[in-house]
Amino acid sequence: MGEGPRRSAERARELHVRSIVVDTLSGGPSLFTDRMTERAKRVLEEGKSGIEAVVAAEQEMVRELAEDAGCREHYRRMWDEGGVTCASLTLGGLGSPPFSFRSGLESLARTTRVLDACDDWLAKVTRAEQVRLAHDAGKHGLILNFQNTTHFGLDLDRLDLFYDFGVRIIQLTYNQRNFVGDGCTERTDAGLSHFGVELVRRLNRMGVLVDLSHSGSATAWDAIRVSEKPVAFTHTFCRALSEHDRGKPDELLRAVAETGGYIGMVTVPFFISSEPQPTLKDVVRHVRHAVEVAGIDHVGIGTDWGAVYPRELADALNREMGLIGFRAEHRVDWNATMPDYRSWQDWPGITASLLEDGFTKEEVQKLLGLNFLRVFEQTVG
């Protein structure tokens, strides 16, 4: 590496460390020790599903973090390498069954034990100021999110329960239809139900950010019109650049920005491109397009990718994606990587790529976290 590129990399790293970095739908870090990997393999050998194997590995992770100081130090190094101040963590997306009350509660319990084990450097975040304090102290934070409303269904007492436990971002639907509305891979798209309209208003009153990332277009449009506070696509991409059910058209990106809201771009290889080997340049193409459509003050990064699973486990998950609404045309591949973003610890490469594309330092800091933090403060506190 010549002197010029070396200095550019150093400056990118310096900016990354100096900035508040928020991954608005975190894809990692994924901790897989030998014990965790063996536990997952045993579950698969017993004829159970990949989803069950992931949950078993998470249970083993919690035990190791609670019992082993070396494991805790390794986990912190992964966070430090990624340089992410605060990550939004999905609860209960996988479980028995996925997106259920039970899976949400069990995931919340595991996360609480991790936070207790790592309480000297990792904390639950329920308001924006805590992110700033974590950055100033060189620590890290977790925002708890749900990617579905099926965790509480029609029982709003359960919604209050999860709020009391610290959930501050809730996605109205995942891919499929629920009581609130239709997801983005559903056969039809009827928009919000009457219950969905009331739920959006209730989330506004409670101080929960309304996430529309997996919602169908009509459902998203209805939520934008109903919500009295900014809304978000915490993890999406531009359909204008990659035709896919999970992407969002320009008019929806613009409409979310007009609410004062936030749009996070993913690093998911098979979403951002149909080509076999995308790179971070493709991610930045989506960021640049979103900025041109929605404005520099409304865009950020929600990676939704970067976990590294054992091959057998990734293959098993690929076979089970129909359970959560993905079909063959959605190209889901848990083994996919990019050459310059192989795991969540490669997060600083996103900052470097944004600078290489010509964004100014001030613009990059907005994209890395300041835009989201403003919206989070306005909607949550």
Side-chain angles (χ1 to χ4, degrees):
M1 183 183 288
E3 182 60 28
R6 182 183 299 115
R7 183 56 187 148
S8 294
E10 290 172 354
R11 287 176 176 169
R13 182 67 194 186
E14 289 168 2
L15 179 63
H16 190 78
V17 170
R18 190 166 68 248
S19 301
I20 291 176
V21 180
V22 183
D23 190 337
T24 57
L25 197 292
S26 180
S30 62
L31 179 63
F32 265 90
T33 65
D34 290 343
R35 279 171 52 184
M36 296 171 204
T37 301
E38 286 304 312
R39 176 78 186 279
K41 288 181 177 178
R42 286 199 306 273
V43 171
L44 291 175
E45 289 168 358
E46 292 167 0
K48 296 181 180 178
S49 69
I51 288 174
E52 289 172 302
V54 169
V55 172
E58 289 180 358
Q59 292 168 341
E60 193 64 45
M61 180 189 77
V62 168
R63 280 191 285 270
E64 285 202 58
L65 286 172
E67 299 168 1
D68 187 340
C71 185
R72 291 194 294 276
E73 179 57 31
H74 177 56
Y75 189 52
R76 179 167 188 171
R77 283 198 304 272
M78 296 174 79
W79 274 85
D80 289 343
E81 287 170 14
V84 173
T85 311
C86 183
S88 180
L89 174 71
T90 297
L91 301 172
L94 300 179
S96 184
F99 299 117
S100 63
F101 176 68
R102 176 174 177 172
S103 70
L105 204 57
E106 289 179 346
S107 181
L108 180 57
R110 291 193 297 273
T111 302
T112 299
R113 194 172 181 192
V114 170
L115 289 166
D116 288 344
C118 304
D119 64 356
D120 56 331
W121 62 271
L122 184 64
K124 178 169 61 179
V125 167
T126 58
R127 51 191 175 85
E129 184 60 21
Q130 292 168 318
V131 180
R132 300 187 186 97
L133 292 173
H135 179 260
D136 292 344
K139 299 181 179 181
H140 304 280
L142 280 179
I143 299 171
L144 306 183
N145 78 69
F146 278 159
Q147 283 200 62
N148 212 331
T149 51
T150 50
H151 295 292
F152 52 86
L154 296 171
D155 188 344
L156 294 183
D157 287 338
R158 287 183 171 180
L159 170 60
D160 289 340
L161 171 71
F162 286 123
Y163 179 87
D164 291 343
F165 276 124
V167 176
R168 290 297 183 270
I169 302 175
I170 293 181
Q171 187 171 264
L172 296 185
T173 72
Y174 198 65
N175 295 333
Q176 297 157 311
R177 176 180 297 140
N178 61 26
F179 289 122
V180 172
D182 285 339
C184 63
T185 70
E186 189 56 80
R187 188 180 69 83
T188 59
D189 187 10
L192 286 179
S193 65
H194 284 296
F195 174 73
V197 169
E198 179 52 39
L199 179 65
V200 169
R201 291 170 176 159
R202 187 178 179 110
L203 294 175
N204 284 170
R205 294 193 300 270
M206 293 176 73
V208 174
L209 177 60
V210 174
D211 187 2
L212 306 172
S213 299
H214 280 254
S215 295
S217 291
T219 301
W221 277 114
D222 281 352
I224 288 166
R225 297 183 184 107
V226 168
S227 181
E228 296 179 356
K229 291 186 177 181
V231 297
F233 295 132
T234 62
H235 56 299
T236 193
F237 54 99
C238 304
R239 192 177 294 176
L241 302 183
S242 179
E243 182 60 36
H244 194 288
D245 289 336
R246 271 282 283 112
K248 301 303 177 187
D250 287 355
E251 56 268 27
L252 266 177
L253 299 178
R254 191 175 295 112
V256 165
E258 288 172 355
T259 73
Y262 168 82
I263 304 156
M265 293 289 107
V266 302
T267 62
V268 183
F270 46 83
F271 284 169
I272 61 174
S273 176
S274 60
E275 296 300 315
Q277 195 61 80
T279 69
L280 285 177
K281 287 185 178 180
D282 293 287
V283 175
V284 174
R285 283 179 61 239
H286 283 266
V287 173
R288 176 67 71 179
H289 184 83
V291 167
E292 291 172 354
V293 170
I296 188 63
D297 294 321
H298 301 281
V299 181
I301 304 292
T303 61
D304 198 24
W305 202 247
V308 181
Y309 290 102
R311 183 82 190 195
E312 301 95 324
L313 184 52
D315 289 342
L317 289 172
N318 285 341
R319 294 191 293 269
E320 297 164 15
M321 287 298 96
L323 295 173
I324 54 175
F326 285 113
R327 298 184 297 277
E329 66 264 30
H330 298 131
R331 308 188 296 265
V332 174
D333 182 5
W334 287 78
N335 291 303
T337 63
M338 289 187 282
D340 47 0
Y341 185 80
R342 294 188 175 277
S343 75
W344 194 73
Q345 290 89 284
D346 292 327
W347 229 106
I350 300 172
T351 300
S353 296
L354 292 169
L355 289 169
E356 289 170 7
D357 193 67
F359 286 104
T360 68
K361 291 181 179 179
E362 292 75 18
E363 289 172 333
V364 170
Q365 288 186 307
K366 288 183 177 184
L367 296 169
L368 292 182
L370 296 183
N371 287 340
F372 173 78
L373 203 59
R374 183 195 70 252
V375 174
F376 192 69
E377 192 159 39
Q378 290 174 350
T379 57
V380 175

